Amino acid sequence: MNQFTEAERFASRLRALRQRANYSYETLAQKTGTSRSSLHRYCTGSSVPQDYGAAHRIAVACGATPTELRELHRLWALADAERDEAAEPAVAVESAEPAKPAGVIGPAEAADPAEPPAEPTAEHPADPPAGEPGLEPDRETGPAPVPRSLRWLVVALTLAGLVLALTAWGVSVLSSPTEGEERDGRLLFSDACGPVVSMGQKDACVRDVQERLRDHGARIDVDGSFGPETLRRVTAFQVFAGLVPNGVIGDPTKKALHESKVRMETWSPEKVRQRIREVFTEAPDDAVAIADCQSFLDPLHILPNTNGSRNWGLFQISDARLGELGGTPARALDPEWNIQAARKLWSRERNFVDWPHCERALKKTPSAPAASASTSR
């Protein structure tokens, strides 16, 4: 049985999706581009994917609904956090020694108790103490007496340690929060919020995240519901803060939300429209329509793909295109860079083939009056 409870829950959900789709490991591996051995490890709980993208591809291939995808993302986040905690070096604990009689301190402790000294007999009398030939001991040899000053020192140190322990306990009792209460005024670090805050949650912890994102300058509704908008803003914040942009709020993101100086103010839709028209002078209306279709003119729009990659910014520049253009997620969230990158892609063939879904929406069927007018001339 897997020792990680959250990992087992995540694996159980993957198994249920695979079984419902009635796919063998071999078939599912071919559909997702994942090795069969990795699939087996994920579904048995012996391993958790390093990135959520792998789990997302598996779930999509098995026909998971949007609700199931959100729940799977939450389970992966918990399992990933659990794995990180388990990977921390364990503190070495020395094995306990057998208890010794009270007051026995000194050289006698170094003696090996496995073979006690033989009792003196008539045939083998005990050796006389060194320096006193012929003098026989009148009692059983015992440990050397402990000097009184050393005994008092041990007692004093013991009492001092006890006082310190009681003081620390008293301070912890007086300062520890009650159940659900914030520790040092930070709700996200309290037991009420758990190790991670992620997609699908609806509670005060999510509201606190949204309020802190807004404090950093993000445009976001504060409703306590971790939906797609919050996921996009969290991911953008992680990019700006130099964190792993996984959309999951673990300890690094919680700390950054409290301490980072990151600002998330960006262009308004009106400024976006104006700048696109200035750059795409040959097709200003179409360029604005493409950006509106792709991102709703939101410079911080981020969309995950079924293969685990993402599209970034106004024109939703893909990870693959970012590599070609020498960009990064952070640069792609800069509206000026994103518009100029889109212009470069458009200039290759002077069309919008890089955005096929939105380009189809631009194509109009020729109107009948125009055709009849041309034939009447």
Side-chain angles (χ1 to χ4, degrees):
M1 181 176 177
N2 198 299
Q3 61 176 321
F4 302 134
T5 303
E6 301 300 344
E8 174 54 31
R9 290 176 181 171
F10 170 75
S12 177
R13 186 58 54 91
L14 282 183
R15 288 197 301 271
L17 290 172
R18 184 186 71 84
Q19 292 167 1
R20 186 180 69 188
N22 198 25
Y23 287 147
S24 66
Y25 284 113
E26 187 66 35
T27 301
L28 191 54
Q30 294 174 358
K31 287 181 174 291
T32 60
T34 306
S35 69
R36 186 180 182 280
S37 59
S38 294
L39 276 174
H40 188 267
R41 290 197 302 272
Y42 299 158
C43 289
T44 57
S46 60
S47 176
V48 177
Q50 293 290 333
D51 188 87
Y52 172 68
H56 189 85
R57 289 195 298 273
I58 296 169
V60 170
C62 293
T65 65
T67 300
E68 289 173 329
L69 289 174
R70 287 194 295 271
E71 176 64 10
L72 185 67
H73 187 275
R74 186 184 71 83
L75 293 175
W76 171 84
L78 293 172
D80 186 60
E82 187 177 58
R83 174 182 56 194
D84 291 343
E85 292 176 0
E88 294 178 358
V91 178
V93 180
E94 295 183 358
S95 59
E97 298 255 353
K100 296 179 176 59
V104 179
I105 302 174
E109 289 185 350
D112 186 358
E115 296 184 10
E119 296 271 344
T121 63
E123 295 181 1
H124 301 283
D127 294 331
E132 300 185 31
L135 178 63
E136 293 186 1
D138 59 351
R139 55 188 177 137
E140 184 177 348
T141 304
V146 180
R148 179 174 298 180
S149 59
L150 181 57
R151 288 203 300 270
W152 278 111
L153 177 61
V154 172
V155 171
L157 290 176
T158 303
L159 289 175
L162 181 60
V163 170
L164 288 175
L166 289 173
T167 302
W169 176 81
V171 171
S172 66
V173 168
L174 292 175
S175 62
S176 61
T178 58
E179 185 176 358
E181 188 180 356
E182 301 104 352
R183 289 199 295 263
D184 62 20
R186 301 192 295 180
L187 175 62
L188 288 178
F189 290 92
S190 71
D191 294 337
C193 290
V196 298
V197 180
S198 60
M199 187 79 166
Q201 283 188 228
K202 294 182 180 181
D203 52 30
C205 303
V206 177
R207 179 178 292 275
D208 191 50
V209 168
Q210 293 168 334
E211 289 175 346
R212 298 196 178 281
L213 288 169
R214 191 171 60 180
D215 291 342
H216 283 279
R219 294 197 299 264
I220 185 173
D221 293 332
V222 179
D223 57 6
S225 177
F226 200 129
E229 181 190 43
T230 302
L231 177 64
R232 289 192 291 269
R233 293 297 182 257
V234 168
T235 307
F237 175 80
Q238 290 171 327
V239 169
F240 292 142
L243 303 173
V244 176
N246 56 13
V248 177
I249 303 167
D251 281 344
T253 304
K254 292 177 182 180
K255 183 177 180 181
L257 284 170
H258 277 275
E259 302 175 5
S260 172
K261 303 301 182 183
V262 163
R263 302 304 305 170
M264 299 181 67
E265 291 90 349
T266 190
W267 293 2
S268 67
E270 292 73 21
K271 184 173 181 179
V272 169
R273 288 191 187 92
Q274 178 184 348
R275 185 57 182 154
I276 291 176
R277 290 179 182 278
E278 292 171 355
V279 174
F280 286 85
T281 54
E282 301 87 344
D285 292 338
D286 285 352
V288 170
I290 289 288
D292 196 8
C293 172
Q294 289 287 321
S295 66
F296 308 103
L297 304 182
D298 176 12
L300 303 185
H301 194 82
I302 302 170
L303 187 67
N305 299 312
T306 55
N307 63 357
S309 65
R310 293 186 178 93
N311 297 336
W312 306 89
L314 287 170
F315 283 89
Q316 290 293 275
I317 309 297
S318 67
D319 285 329
R321 287 286 187 250
L322 280 183
E324 295 176 12
L325 298 169
T328 63
R331 297 187 71 183
L333 297 180
D334 173 8
E336 179 65 28
W337 188 93
N338 200 285
I339 293 172
Q340 296 295 344
R343 168 75 188 191
K344 290 180 182 178
L345 296 175
W346 178 86
S347 299
R348 292 176 178 179
E349 299 183 27
R350 300 182 71 81
N351 59 34
F352 294 96
V353 293
D354 270 86
W355 301 272
H357 173 71
C358 291
E359 188 195 33
R360 286 194 294 270
L362 298 178
K363 295 180 179 178
K364 303 287 192 291
T365 302
S367 61
S372 60
S374 62
T375 56
S376 63
R377 288 188 183 131

